[in-house]
Amino acid sequence: GAGVSQSPSNKVTEKGKDVELRCDPISGHTALYWYRQSLGQGLEFLIYFQGNSAPDKSGLPSDRFSAERTGGSVSTLTIQRTQQEDSAVYLCASTPGLAGAKTQYFGPGTRLLVL
Amino acid sequence: DQQVKQNSPSLSVQEGRISILNCDYTNSMFDYFLWYKKYPAEGPTFLISISSIKDKNEDGRFTVFLNKSAKHLSLHIVPSQPGDSAVYFCAASASYNNAGNMLTFGGGTRLMVKP
């Protein structure tokens, strides 16, 4: 079936603007993760959703970042009042959410550039 | 505090030879380890994983070795092919973690396989 999809693939915005990034997980996957990769860095965990449970937001770098997941499927990551240090590749991953299903499948990412 | 480290930012090998990518971790609670491969402008692709109850897992040309006492794992690619040229990320997860099976990533190693 289809893999994880993300949109837009690229986003250029001006400092101070809000942006929304979208993730469509693999059909049937109940667990969804957001990560970001800044230039020259490894991937950094941001937030985790499992089914209808409250998300784990422990990785969000500031209160300008928020995410929601509607209907247990599509997720939107919102960055308010963007800063230049928010420039990164934002990656979404999903898993079946079953015990032992630890392999995460990633989307292609959204490349965000804040000018 | 980097819990997962890939100390070699790059590695160059000749086609047909063995590629060995290394990864060290500090968190003794990690119990599952994965290797991902990433091409430019694409999301990470899952390669191979290993549970902490094992010390070796093999899949075709790829073998992952885990040394728990040394908190070290390595990925062996034999024989290396030019198409293997990519950035390789080591990742780890801990069952205790509230954020599901969130992954902690190393900084990546860029592998270049020369024809």
Side-chain angles (χ1 to χ4, degrees), chain A:
Chain A
V4 177
S5 60
Q6 293 185 244
S7 61
S9 54
N10 293 282
K11 176 72 176 179
V12 181
T13 190
E14 294 178 348
K15 178 181 172 181
K17 302 278 190 180
D18 298 351
V19 295
E20 285 189 353
L21 313 178
R22 176 187 167 107
C23 171
D24 281 275
I26 293 172
S27 177
H29 281 195
T30 60
L32 186 149
Y33 305 77
W34 283 96
Y35 295 85
R36 75 174 175 181
Q37 184 183 17
S38 301
L39 188 63
Q41 304 295 315
L43 281 74
E44 170 193 15
F45 166 74
L46 296 177
I47 189 169
Y48 159 68
F49 295 89
Q50 171 57 55
N52 295 320
S53 302
D56 185 310
K57 306 178 183 179
S58 58
L60 295 179
S62 80
D63 59 8
R64 296 186 295 104
F65 287 71
S66 63
E68 63 178 20
R69 190 176 184 194
T70 53
S73 180
V74 171
S75 177
T76 302
L77 177 69
T78 301
I79 309 173
Q80 295 178 310
R81 306 180 302 282
T82 52
Q83 303 294 312
Q84 289 180 333
E85 61 262 28
D86 300 334
S87 298
V89 178
Y90 289 81
L91 290 152
C92 176
S94 70
T95 75
L98 304 172
K102 300 183 180 185
T103 299
Q104 296 182 18
Y105 298 92
F106 283 83
T110 293
R111 283 146 198 81
L112 175 66
L113 177 62
V114 182
L115 301 176

Side-chain angles (χ1 to χ4, degrees), chain B residues 63-111:
Chain B
T63 302
V64 55
F65 295 92
L66 175 62
N67 182 334
K68 288 189 293 293
S69 61
K71 294 191 177 66
H72 177 85
L73 66 156
S74 61
L75 174 69
H76 292 209
I77 307 173
V78 183
S80 301
Q81 300 173 354
D84 296 329
S85 298
V87 178
Y88 289 76
F89 289 97
C90 168
S93 70
S95 300
Y96 78 95
N97 197 309
N98 288 331
N101 294 307
M102 64 160 272
L103 297 177
T104 301
F105 283 84
T109 296
R110 181 177 300 279
L111 173 65

